[in-house]
């Protein structure tokens, strides 16, 4: 069925009147982010009746505020407060129709061949060769308008950093982003108010609705159901966001269940349902690409407020053998700047914020080991993860590179994102200040934009949760299509990897389950 | 040893509660939930936040907006505490009380009774402490306070920051992208 209205067909808690709603579908998809959106479209287009259940709200883009503070509260998991158990890593994920694709920086990288080969060798994913994946990358790049930034798509801070990279003979990495006609507001993290970022909300989800898919927002799945070792549907609750109370209980009977609730939500739902965990690996192997942001202060106003959120990177050390870190520039609003450095309490802090217009930042993000775990404890989500000691050493090397680039860009002094004042006043101080840093909890102001790895994909059912085609080893027709799949962290923003893997798995679902 | 470990674990729980709630304070009043009696600040918490605000943003002599003229404390309460899960709210309350009382050891007075100079020194000492929960509490309470201040748009003008721009710039909505045709 093709209605071809090219609009979202979203039902929210406000639309619900019945206490109980029972639906039948060919496919129920849990989550409407990258994996869920792409599968909704590809499966609906193939003639399947698709129902998408999204735990977060539907916030149309005209209601985006371009204020990070408000956006955190409306569009992010846990109102932006999701963190690891130690509380020193903020783990950011979208929680709204469109998921993280609504609030990410739109930065796209193809999965490096290095990892596809590694996954083949170490996890038996010999099906995911660079040759097999190439058409999937090309397809999502075409559909989402993924292109390299044009000359004007930059920011004041990026232009300074570019000079620094050139002075140090560092190859300029020009960002590839899923944005069409970027207006350079710099509000990617707050949602694109004018729909230039090609999130699921303006691409795959409405396209899925053209083929009959229906999206239920405010709807959290409580249990995945099975029958005779195969998926059979889900139970869910539609929650009134104004009261937090359940308005409607829902059941969806469907022979195919696609799990796309994200790397914290998907493993928890499997744990709650008591499913797909014969390996004991559900929720384990959590990685998150911890990042630290170095604040550079200049002796003149940069007003680095708007522009392309990210436009420039240095990936000359991103593969593990080269160091395992990447540098990314980013614009920053005063709310973020207010806690990204510690200049000292009182007058030093006032001076620091007065000089906010003179600042820019460069982010160091590391490829990390899969040493964490997501569990439910006393009914509450726990993300048990501490930065590994070896990974911290990679972070230190990355921070040194970061600092050298910023000084070469013209910075007069730098603040490291630490609990206490850590200021670097010159190139000569870089090594001594950073060498003294120790890997300690609650010492650094980490942010993670890339949780991953909690329903690891692989051929060996004793060591992984999902088979090489996205289906759980234990339960037939129960598929996982989000960043939970990644067997290892990849050091680069994983969004295009998820887009491509989700497309690949959708093709497999359609082949294995003809309409 | 196990007692020390238990204490450390308790500290970590408190620290976690503080840190985990910090980002929530970014929710401004427009997003405030229903503030139940259980979630309201007690008198000690109000005093701690007021003291932290006073020492973190001594704006006299600068062009920044005087925090005393802004609803910073009510933003913390109305946006952060409202709707906070019970276990987090309880841990936050315990952490703030612990922080307040701990100043007695170093300065002979509770944090709220310290002079601004002493309070500033206490916060900076804890931020540099070898004890992880001390770092977490100092960083967390301060972060929470300054975030609530900067989340109020009135504070941006002295920085020259212009805030939301799409409407100001007259940007047209691009709308939903047409479905690819086979």
């Amino acid at each position: 069925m093709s209605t071809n209205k090219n609009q979202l067909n979203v039902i929210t808690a406000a639309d619900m009147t019945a206490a109980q709603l029972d639906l039948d579908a060919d496919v129920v998809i849990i989550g409407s982010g990258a994996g869920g959106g792409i599968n909704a479209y590809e499966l609906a287009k193939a003639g399947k009746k698709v129902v998408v259940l999204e735990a977060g709200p539907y916030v149309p883009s005209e209601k985006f505020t371009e204020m990070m503070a408000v956006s955190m509260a409306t569009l992010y998991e846990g109102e932006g407060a999701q963190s690891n158990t130690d509380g020193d890593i903020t783990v950011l994920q979208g929680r709204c129709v469109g998921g993280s694709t609504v609030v990410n920086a739109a930065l796209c990288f193809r999965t490096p061949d290095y990892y596809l080969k590694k996954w083949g060798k170490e996890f038996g994913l010999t099906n995911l060769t660079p040759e097999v994946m190439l058409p999937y990358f090309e397809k999502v790049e075409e559909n989402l308008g993924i292109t390299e930034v044009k000359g004007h798509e930059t920011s004041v801070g990026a232009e300074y950093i570019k000079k620094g990279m050139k002075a140090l003979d560092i190859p300029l990495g020009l960002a590839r982003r899923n944005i069409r006609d970027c207006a350079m507001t710099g509000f990617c993290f707050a949602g694109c108010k004018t729909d230039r970022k090609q999130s699921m909300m303006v691409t795959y989800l409405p396209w899925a609705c053209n083929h009959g898919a229906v999206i239920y927002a405010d709807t959290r799945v409580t249990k995945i159901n099975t029958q005779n070792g195969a998926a059979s549907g889900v139970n869910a609750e539609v929650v009134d966001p104004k009261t937090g109370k359940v308005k409607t209980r829902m059941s969806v009977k469907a022979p195919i269940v696609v799990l796309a609730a994200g790397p914290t939500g998907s493993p928890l739902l499997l744990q709650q349902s008591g499913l797909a965990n014969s390996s004991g690996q559900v929720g384990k192997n959590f990685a998150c690409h911890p990042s630290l942001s170095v604040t550079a202060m200049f002796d003149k106003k940069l007003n680095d407020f708007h522009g392309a959120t990210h436009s420039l990177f240095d990936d000359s050390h991103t593969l593990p053998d080269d160091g395992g870190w990447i540098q990314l520039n980013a614009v920053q609003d005063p709310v973020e700047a207010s806690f990204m450095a510690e200049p000292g309490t009182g007058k030093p802090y006032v001076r620091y914020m007065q000089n906010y217009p003179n600042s820019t930042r460069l982010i160091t993000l590391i490829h990390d080991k899969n040493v964490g775990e997501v569990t439910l404890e006393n009914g509450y989500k726990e993300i048990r993860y501490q930065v590994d000691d070896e990974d911290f050493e990679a972070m230190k090397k990355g921070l040194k590179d970061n600092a050298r680039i910023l000084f070469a860009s013209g910075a007069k002094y730098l603040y490291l994102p630490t609990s206490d004042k850590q200021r670097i006043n010159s190139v000569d101080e870089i090594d001594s200040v950073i060498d003294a840093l120790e890997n300690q909890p609650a010492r650094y102001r980490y942010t993670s934009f890339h949780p991953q790895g909690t329903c690891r994909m692989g051929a060996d059912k004793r060591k992984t949760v999902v088979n090489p085609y996205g289906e759980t080893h234990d339960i037939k027709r129960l598929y996982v299509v989000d960043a939970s799949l990644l067997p290892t962290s990849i050091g680069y923003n994983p969004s295009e990897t998820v887009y491509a893997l989700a497309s690949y798995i959708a093709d497999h679902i359609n082949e294995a389950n003809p309409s | 040893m196990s007692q020390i470990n238990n204490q450390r674990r308790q500290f970590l729980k408190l620290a976690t509660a503080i840190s985990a709630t910090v980002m929530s304070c970014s929710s401004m009043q427009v997003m405030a939930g229903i503030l139940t009696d259980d979630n309201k600040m007690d008198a000690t918490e109000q005093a701690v936040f007021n003291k932290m605000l006073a020492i973190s943003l001594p704006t006299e002599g600068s062009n920044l907006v005087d925090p005393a003229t802004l609803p910073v404390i009510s933003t913390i309460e109305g946006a952060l505490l409202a709707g906070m899960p019970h276990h987090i709210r309880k841990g936050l309350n315990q952490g703030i009380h612990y922080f307040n009382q701990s100043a007695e050891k170093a300065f002979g007075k509770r944090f709220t009774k310290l002079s601004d100079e002493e309070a500033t020194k206490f916060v900076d000492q804890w931020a540099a402490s070898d004890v992880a929960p001390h770092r977490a509490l100092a960083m967390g309470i301060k972060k929470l306070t300054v975030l609530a201040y900067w989340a109020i748009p009135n504070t941006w003008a002295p920085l020259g920051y212009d805030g939301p721009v799409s409407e100001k710039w007259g940007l047209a909505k691009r709308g939903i992208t047409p479905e690819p045709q086979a």
Side-chain angles (χ1 to χ4, degrees), chain B residues 26-103:
Chain B
S26 56
S27 331
M28 292 170 58
Q29 284 168 315
V30 291
M31 303 314 304
I34 299 163
L35 184 62
T36 63
D37 286 345
D38 285 347
N39 278 16
K40 285 182 179 169
M41 284 188 198
D42 64 27
T44 299
E45 288 176 310
Q46 283 202 22
V48 167
F49 281 121
N50 271 313
K51 187 72 177 176
M52 186 61 89
L53 183 60
I55 64 166
S56 296
L57 284 150
T59 54
E60 67 279 4
S62 78
N63 65 342
L64 300 190
V65 179
D66 180 355
T69 65
L70 299 169
V72 179
I73 303 301
S74 60
T75 297
I76 295 172
E77 185 172 64
L80 164 64
L81 305 185
M84 184 181 286
H86 179 67
H87 73 296
I88 296 285
R89 177 70 189 100
K90 193 175 169 187
L92 176 64
N93 177 272
Q94 290 171 345
I96 292 170
H97 280 258
Y98 172 73
F99 175 82
N100 187 38
Q101 291 160 7
S102 296

Side-chain angles (χ1 to χ4, degrees), chain B residues 59 75 107 131 142:
Chain B
T59 54
T75 297
F107 292 94
V131 183
K142 184 175 169 184

Side-chain angles (χ1 to χ4, degrees), chain A residues 61 66 85 198 306 347 419 441, chain B residues 16 127 135 162 166 173 177:
Chain A
S61 55
E66 299 186 327
T85 300
Q198 300 296 282
H306 305 294
K347 288 291 183 189
S419 65
Chain B
T16 299
R135 295 195 295 271
D162 51 353
S166 284
K173 275 178 77 69
T177 299

Side-chain angles (χ1 to χ4, degrees), chain B residues 106-122:
Chain B
F107 292 94
K109 283 181 280 189
R110 298 194 170 199
F111 175 71
T112 53
K113 301 295 182 191
L114 299 179
S115 69
D116 285 357
E117 191 181 348
E118 290 170 329
T120 299
K121 201 171 174 186
F122 176 67

Side-chain angles (χ1 to χ4, degrees), chain A residues 133-151:
Chain A
M133 293 308 294
L134 178 63
Y136 290 98
F137 291 128
E138 290 174 340
K139 181 180 183 180
V140 297
E141 287 165 4
E142 177 70 25
N143 287 350
L144 295 172
I146 298 172
T147 53
E148 189 175 283
V149 287
K150 298 169 185 69

